[in-house]
């Protein structure tokens, strides 16, 4: 699992020294949420989780519309 996380971090242009720092910090509590928290502390955007509450989208549907 760690290799796939490192691959994703590299694919999202996270610097190598930051990848090492993040992996060291989360080694005993490895989760997508914890990795994203460490990314945000370093000034990166989240990669692995999505905060759906932060979206300002209207997800209502018009049932009378023909599909």
């Amino acid at each position: 699992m760690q290799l796939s996380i490192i691959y994703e971090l590299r694919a999202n242009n996270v610097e190598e020294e930051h990848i090492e720092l993040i992996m060291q910090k989360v080694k005993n509590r490895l989760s997508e949420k914890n990795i994203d928290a460490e990314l945000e502390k370093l000034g990166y955007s989240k990669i692995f989780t999505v905060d759906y509450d932060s979206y300002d989208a209207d997800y209502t549907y018009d049932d009378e519309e023909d599909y």
Side-chain angles (χ1 to χ4, degrees):
M1 180 168 173
Q2 284 188 354
L3 289 177
S4 61
I5 292 170
I6 292 170
Y7 176 82
E8 280 298 320
L9 292 170
R10 286 178 178 155
N12 283 277
N13 299 317
V14 176
E15 295 179 24
E16 286 297 321
E17 59 267 11
H18 289 157
I19 292 172
E20 291 175 23
L21 179 64
I22 291 167
M23 296 308 289
Q24 182 65 29
K25 286 188 173 189
V26 301
K27 68 179 178 183
N28 293 326
R29 52 186 183 88
L30 187 63
S31 73
E32 294 169 340
K33 184 177 177 181
N34 290 338
I35 294 169
D36 278 346
E38 295 299 326
L39 282 167
E40 289 185 309
K41 288 178 187 177
L42 294 170
Y44 295 97
S45 299
K46 292 180 180 181
I47 295 173
F48 299 100
T49 60
V50 177
D51 182 12
Y52 291 105
D53 293 333
S54 68
Y55 285 104
D56 187 28
D58 182 16
Y59 292 110
T60 58
Y61 297 97
D62 185 4
D63 289 338
E64 295 179 16
E65 192 174 315
D66 292 332
Y67 293 100

